[in-house]
Structures are given as structure tokens and as C-alpha cells.
């Protein structure tokens, strides 16, 4: 194994460990601390569970292939890891988009949200929609529209970016449209809708609704902003370098490897956004005994340094 492969292995292993720890912590907070079943919490919980499964199975299988426990020629391992990665990524992206849209609806049309969006039926239908779409896109190449091939750096299986099959171009165009461009547009519109509502909250009519609502709107605005930013930063490099290869613009294989590795940070995106940038989750985080110990220890250290 060369230096690049060793560095790649270390980074993937670090992402696996970090993803499991952060998402397990988020699952614990929602299930045992918050104990509510609001639509955003259901989707955040769903994303965290799928991220844990994805990292444990998909990324671990990729590490096995990297260490030649399984060969890339063993198609069921290679394709299975790629299938799980695409399934999880697409379904999680859709759940993130729907969460942002629902938050925009909640503060812009609160009565509509309460009547139609908070029901158990709506939650189940939206989850089924996300997971069915997540299953659809990696399943299509298995039934004849395009095929799975080695990725551009030949370190894992992926879509047919080299266009070895005649129908791969049409599939990739549709894939980019529905799984990258449309989510970006939806996130931008959700952010704009939330921002306009926050700006309008300065009026007398909005001020009568109370301070708590205004604080909640600011939290939603912050989460919408960082969700959109993280999505764009994490997925654009891999999407861009793959799109260039479709147009026969080649780059060094190390660039493909770095972009693919960077996209794996999506496994910690949900936990990072909702734990670190959401003060309500941070408040629950501080109530955990382990974190209370570190907080008290840091306070003692700062007090001693001041003395």
C-alpha cells in the first residue's frame, strides 16, 4: 500500500469513528433527552441512524477493498458499498432539504404547518418519499440504465464517469439534475423564505407573537444557512470533478481521491450542523454528565489561570 492509500485509509477510519460518535450522541439526545416527535427531530434522527449504518457497512467495506481483503473484481462487495453510499447520500440530502422546507413553512405559514405537516401520516409519507428516491438512483444502473464501474481513481466502485456505456451520459445528466442541482435550488429558496420571515419579524404585527418565536426563527435561519453552505462545500468538489470527466477533461487521480474523501464528510454533516449550530441541542448536550465534567474542569482551569 502506497503513501496515498495509507493516508486515505487513516482519513476514512477517522471519519468512521467521528461519524459514529457524533451521530450516536445525537441519537441519544433526541431519544432520551428531547423525547419529542416533531418532524425535524424525526428526520434528524433518521439521518443519524442511516449515517451510522452507512459508515459501519459502506465505508468499512471500502477499507476492506483498500486493504485487498476483497478485490475490486469482487463485484458484489464493490457495488454493494457504492449502492449503500448513494442510497444513504441521496435519501439524507432529500431529508435535509425537506427539513429546511418544513421549517420555512412552520414560521411562514404556522397554521398550515400545524394542521397538515405535524401529522404522523405526513412524516411517514415524507420519509417513504426520501428513502424510495434514495433507493431508486443506485438501483437504476443495476437494471440496465448505465452501469457501475471503477471510480476515476480506481479505488472504489462508482457510476460510469468515463462513459464506457452509451446510455451513461443521459443517466448522469438526470442524476446531477435531481440529486445535486435541484436540492441546491430548494435549499436556497428555503433560506430566502426563512430570512424574509425573520426580517419581517421586526414589524409590530410580528412582534406581538412574542420573543420566543423570534428566537426560534433565528435558529431556523442559522440552521438553513449552514446546511446549505455545508452541502455546497462538501458535494461540489466531487460533483465538479466528476462532471469534468464526463466532458473528457481529465485531472490527476489524487484530485479524484481527495474529492471523494471530502464528500465522505457528509456522514458527520447532520450531527455537526444540528449539535454545534443549534443552541437547543447544545443545551441538552451540556446536561450529559460527561460534558458537565469537562465544563466544570475547564471552569476550574480558567479560574486558576486568572488567579
Amino acid at each position: 500500500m502506497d503513501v496515498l492509500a495509507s493516508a486515505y485509509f487513516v482519513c476514512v477510519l477517522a471519519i468512521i469513528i467521528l461519524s459514529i460518535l457524533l451521530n450516536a450522541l445525537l441519537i441519544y439526545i433526541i431519544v432520551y433527552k428531547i423525547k419529542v416527535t416533531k418532524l425535524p427531530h424525526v428526520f434528524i434522527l433518521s439521518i443519524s441512524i442511516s449515517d451510522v449504518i452507512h459508515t459501519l457497512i459502506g465505508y468499512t467495506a471500502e477499507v476492506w477493498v483498500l486493504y485487498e481483503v476483497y478485490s475490486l473484481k469482487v463485484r458484489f462487495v464493490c457495488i454493494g458499498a457504492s449502492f449503500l453510499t448513494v442510497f444513504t447520500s441521496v435519501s439524507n440530502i432529500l431529508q435535509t432539504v425537506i427539513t429546511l422546507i418544513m421549517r420555512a413553512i412552520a414560521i411562514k405559514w404556522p397554521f398550515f404547518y400545524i394542521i397538515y405537516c405535524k401529522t404522523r401520516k405526513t412524516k411517514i409519507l415524507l420519509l417513504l418519499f426520501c428513502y424510495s428516491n434514495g433507493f431508486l438512483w443506485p438501483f437504476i444502473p443495476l437494471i440496465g440504465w448505465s452501469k457501475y464501474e471503477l471510480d476515476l481513481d480506481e479505488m472504489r466502485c462508482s457510476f460510469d464517469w468515463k462513459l464506457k456505456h452509451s446510455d451513461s451520459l443521459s443517466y448522469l445528466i438526470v442524476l446531477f439534475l435531481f440529486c445535486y442541482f435541484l436540492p441546491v435550488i430548494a435549499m436556497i429558496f428555503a433560506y430566502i423564505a426563512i430570512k424574509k420571515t425573520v426580517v419581517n419579524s421586526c414589524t409590530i404585527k410580528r412582534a406581538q407573537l412574542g420573543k420566543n418565536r423570534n428566537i426560534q426563527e433565528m435558529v431556523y435561519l442559522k440552521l438553513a444557512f449552514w446546511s446549505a453552505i455545508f452541502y455546497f462545500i462538501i458535494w461540489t468538489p466531487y460533483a465538479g470533478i466528476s462532471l469534468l470527466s464526463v466532458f473528457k477533461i481529465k485531472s490527476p487521480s489524487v484530485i479524484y481521491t481527495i474529492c471523494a474523501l471530502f464528500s465522505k464528510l457528509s456522514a458527520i454533516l447532520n450531527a455537526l450542523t444540528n449539535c454545534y449550530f443549534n443552541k437547543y441541542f447544545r443545551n441538552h448536550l451540556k446536561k450529559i454528565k460527561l460534558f458537565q465534567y469537562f465544563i466544570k474542569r475547564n471552569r476550574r482551569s480558567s479560574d486558576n489561570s486568572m488567579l
Side-chain angles (χ1 to χ4, degrees):
M1 182 179 292
D2 58 16
V3 176
L4 178 61
S6 299
Y8 183 82
F9 165 75
V10 172
C11 292
V12 171
L13 184 61
I15 291 174
I16 292 174
I17 295 172
L18 190 60
S19 173
I20 293 173
L21 289 176
L22 290 178
N23 283 293
L25 182 61
L26 189 56
I27 293 169
Y28 173 79
I29 291 174
I30 294 176
V31 174
Y32 293 101
K33 296 296 182 180
I34 298 178
K35 297 180 181 180
V36 295
T37 56
K38 292 182 179 179
L39 190 145
H41 295 122
V42 172
F43 276 72
I44 292 169
L45 180 63
S46 172
I47 294 172
S48 290
I49 293 173
S50 62
D51 278 335
V52 170
I53 296 173
H54 175 209
T55 51
L56 282 174
I57 299 176
Y59 290 174
T60 302
E62 187 174 322
V63 170
W64 286 347
V65 171
L66 188 64
Y67 263 108
E68 298 181 353
V69 176
Y70 290 101
S71 172
L72 284 171
K73 295 180 181 179
V74 181
R75 304 293 291 175
F76 72 92
V77 175
C78 186
I79 293 177
S82 180
F83 185 99
L84 183 60
T85 297
V86 178
F87 167 71
T88 305
S89 300
V90 173
S91 60
N92 286 358
I93 288 170
L94 285 176
Q95 290 180 73
T96 301
V97 170
I98 289 177
T99 301
L100 294 181
I101 293 174
M102 288 299 155
R103 282 170 172 164
I105 293 174
I107 65 173
K108 199 171 183 66
W109 301 289
F111 295 107
F112 178 86
Y113 176 81
I114 292 172
I115 295 172
Y116 296 104
C117 301
K118 292 186 70 174
T119 63
R120 181 180 297 179
K121 182 179 179 180
T122 300
K123 297 171 188 175
I124 294 174
L125 289 175
L126 289 175
L127 281 174
L128 288 175
F129 170 76
C130 293
Y131 280 110
S132 61
N133 270 273
F135 180 83
L136 175 67
W137 293 106
F139 180 72
I140 287 176
L142 297 178
I143 58 176
W145 190 11
S146 187
K147 294 289 183 182
Y148 284 98
E149 297 290 344
L150 293 183
D151 208 347
L152 296 168
D153 57 357
E154 299 186 351
M155 293 181 66
R156 70 199 68 80
C157 282
S158 184
F159 297 121
D160 183 20
W161 302 115
K162 297 179 182 179
L163 303 182
K164 294 181 179 180
H165 306 274
S166 59
D167 56 353
S168 292
L169 179 59
S170 59
Y171 171 75
L172 293 175
I173 291 174
V174 177
L175 178 72
F176 267 98
L177 176 64
F178 284 94
C179 299
Y180 179 76
F181 292 112
L182 288 182
V184 168
I185 295 172
M187 286 183 180
I188 292 173
F189 274 103
Y191 172 74
I192 292 173
I194 295 174
K195 186 175 182 179
K196 285 183 178 180
T197 306
V198 172
V199 172
N200 293 336
S201 67
C202 296
T203 62
I204 297 176
K205 182 178 179 180
R206 298 289 296 178
Q208 293 175 351
L209 294 173
K211 183 179 178 182
N212 289 335
R213 181 177 177 84
N214 186 263
I215 293 174
Q216 186 181 48
E217 291 173 355
M218 293 300 297
V219 172
Y220 284 175
L221 179 64
K222 190 175 184 179
L223 291 175
F225 175 78
W226 284 111
S227 294
I229 290 296
F230 280 146
Y231 173 83
F232 184 80
I233 290 176
I234 287 175
W235 286 109
T236 298
Y238 185 73
I241 203 72
S242 301
L243 191 61
L244 288 177
S245 68
V246 171
F247 293 101
K248 307 299 182 183
I249 302 175
K250 296 183 178 181
S251 300
S253 61
V254 64
I255 301 297
Y256 298 127
T257 303
I258 293 173
C259 292
L261 181 63
F262 200 65
S263 68
K264 294 184 186 302
L265 293 174
S266 61
I268 65 174
L269 174 62
N270 173 59
L272 182 64
T273 304
N274 289 288
C275 270
Y276 184 78
F277 292 100
N278 190 336
K279 71 174 186 177
Y280 297 112
F281 277 96
R282 291 204 305 270
N283 291 336
H284 287 287
L285 195 66
K286 294 176 182 178
K287 296 177 182 178
I288 299 176
K289 292 183 179 180
L290 179 62
F291 288 92
Q292 287 179 349
Y293 170 77
F294 284 109
I295 291 172
K296 291 179 180 178
R297 188 174 180 180
N298 288 332
R299 286 178 181 175
R300 291 174 183 173
S301 300
S302 60
D303 291 340
N304 291 332
S305 61
M306 290 176 66
L307 295 173

